[in-house]
Amino acid sequence: HWGFDGLGVQFVDKDSSLLRIYSYWNLDENGKICQIDGIENVPLQADLSVSAWVALKQRSYYANAERIRSANDIPEVDQRSLSLLKVKENLLVPVIQNGETLGVFQFIVHEHPLNLKKSTIKDVFEFVQGLSSHVAMIKSRNELEASRSEQAHQFELLSEINRTIRLSSLMDLMFDEVDALELFDGVMLYLPTQDEQHLVCQRVNFPEDLIAIEDLCLGQRSGEESKGSPAWQVYREGVSAFLNASNVDHFDSVYKMMLTGLHARSIGYVAIRSQKDSRQVKGVVSVFSRKRLLGPDDTRRLERTLSLFAEQLENASNYQQMIKGQKLVDGMLDERTRFM
């Protein structure tokens, strides 16, 4: 009716602080609808994507052909989507119900520019709002299916966790799960020593450009003597900490250098809480993002995932210490036998 030949739908995922892709469709040469894959979910932060800005501000955004050609400040994730979709013009419209944004509709033009008038944009906006109750039902159904799928996955994951006693294998499993959240650019795991007087960095997973410094981070210790250590602070207090350019001066100066060295916009430190007793902290995970300012909304799903590993991480650490102790005893006995 309005001349668009493509449509994208994104749903707000508060739990992950993301705009999640529901689907993107185009009309092919024969006028048939075909689905497009490969479009990214985007962080729900206004400065990181235009669609996120639309969702948060609850305002439409129209980019005509000239605006798209001349814009040099388009966010990186939007540049990739525009390139993949071969967009000439697009109109982004929020779907709002009872004052809450459900998602964003993206009306796309691939061929001939439309140069929409304000009155047309207003008509499209009102049309989309008329669909809000239907969109809410689809979104609820989609979330229910995702919840069932996640519950099934968690059941399988718990079974695998409980079967894994080797610490290295358990850390592999945990890092795979953190990576699957698609929220962070790097991860570090800190576990307590047996006397619980220090935290030791046991595993690091950085982007390719930082692989060379992973070994420098492994084995790093922090404790009461570590002035301004956010990892130790989180371990003792059980409250997540988030570092960025505006508050990093409250911590030791090394963390300012860390932000710069990691090319990170933000670093988060999150407690691994026991499922049996949330007051017990079994370790700390540090994550960083090069795109978004991390906060509690970004780490809610991470906390739930980490809690699944809490008890078994402690068991695996104790098992590793026991094996080391046994090897030490065996070595001493062998040495005594050779001496005799």
Side-chain angles (χ1 to χ4, degrees), residues 6-283:
L7 174 68
V9 179
Q10 299 164 291
F11 286 149
V12 171
D13 181 352
K14 288 184 177 179
D15 208 25
S16 299
S17 194
L18 288 172
L19 262 181
R20 289 195 177 276
I21 302 302
Y22 177 67
S23 197
Y24 271 77
W25 302 273
N26 271 353
L27 293 176
D28 65 14
E29 296 174 354
N30 300 315
K32 292 183 179 180
I33 296 175
C34 56
Q35 191 164 326
I36 303 173
D37 298 319
I39 310 299
E40 302 173 58
N41 299 323
V42 299
L44 198 57
Q45 291 186 8
D47 61 333
L48 297 183
S49 171
V50 175
S51 55
W53 181 91
V54 168
L56 293 169
K57 301 294 184 181
Q58 297 189 335
R59 292 170 57 186
S60 297
Y61 181 92
Y62 174 51
N64 60 22
E66 183 180 351
R67 191 172 191 176
I68 288 178
R69 280 197 308 270
S70 61
N72 53 16
D73 58 347
I74 298 176
E76 184 181 338
V77 66
D78 290 344
Q79 288 180 12
R80 290 195 292 269
S81 296
L82 290 173
S83 175
L84 180 63
L85 295 169
K86 298 180 173 61
V87 173
K88 278 201 172 176
E89 289 191 353
N90 66 346
L91 170 63
L92 282 74
V93 180
V95 193
I96 305 166
Q97 186 183 54
N98 299 326
E100 180 180 344
T101 303
L102 302 174
V104 174
F105 276 36
Q106 184 173 359
F107 298 91
I108 302 167
V109 179
H110 296 99
E111 297 297 333
H112 306 293
L114 300 178
N115 294 313
L116 298 176
K117 297 179 180 179
K118 288 185 178 180
S119 58
T120 304
I121 295 172
K122 183 180 178 182
D123 289 344
V124 176
F125 181 88
E126 291 176 353
F127 169 75
V128 169
Q129 304 322 306
L131 299 173
S132 62
S133 59
H134 302 288
V135 172
M137 286 190 291
I138 295 171
K139 183 173 184 285
S140 295
R141 185 181 65 196
N142 198 51
E143 288 173 345
L144 181 60
E145 291 173 356
S147 177
R148 287 172 177 167
S149 177
E150 184 176 352
Q151 286 176 358
H153 174 69
Q154 285 195 357
F155 180 79
E156 294 175 3
L157 178 60
L158 272 172
S159 298
E160 191 169 358
I161 288 171
N162 291 331
R163 291 194 303 267
T164 307
I165 193 60
R166 291 179 62 87
L167 183 59
S168 59
S169 300
L170 192 62
M171 290 191 295
D172 287 341
L173 186 59
M174 188 180 81
F175 272 58
D176 286 344
E177 290 298 311
V178 174
D179 188 53
L181 296 177
E182 299 180 345
L183 295 172
F184 313 109
D185 295 304
V187 188
M188 289 186 285
L189 170 65
Y190 298 87
L191 293 178
T193 53
Q194 281 196 308
D195 60 7
E196 298 184 358
Q197 296 304 304
H198 292 89
L199 284 176
V200 181
C201 182
Q202 298 282 4
R203 178 64 64 90
V204 182
N205 185 18
F206 283 164
E208 287 188 7
D209 59 306
L210 296 176
I211 287 178
I213 67 169
E214 286 186 348
D215 288 343
L216 297 176
C217 299
L218 283 172
Q220 285 187 352
R221 298 165 69 93
S222 59
E224 292 292 352
E225 73 283 357
S226 305
K227 177 187 175 185
S229 165
W232 184 252
Q233 175 184 314
V234 170
Y235 178 66
R236 281 306 191 196
E237 299 176 7
V239 180
S240 297
F242 302 96
L243 280 65
N244 54 63
S246 66
N247 70 357
V248 71
D249 290 335
H250 299 160
F251 299 89
D252 192 280
S253 59
V254 70
Y255 295 99
K256 191 169 187 177
M257 292 188 289
M258 184 181 292
L259 269 176
T260 303
L262 296 175
H263 310 295
R265 189 178 183 195
S266 182
I267 304 175
Y269 291 84
V270 180
I272 305 174
R273 299 179 184 279
S274 167
Q275 284 191 309
K276 296 177 181 177
D277 183 355
S278 61
R279 294 170 299 180
Q280 292 185 16
V281 178
K282 305 297 185 179

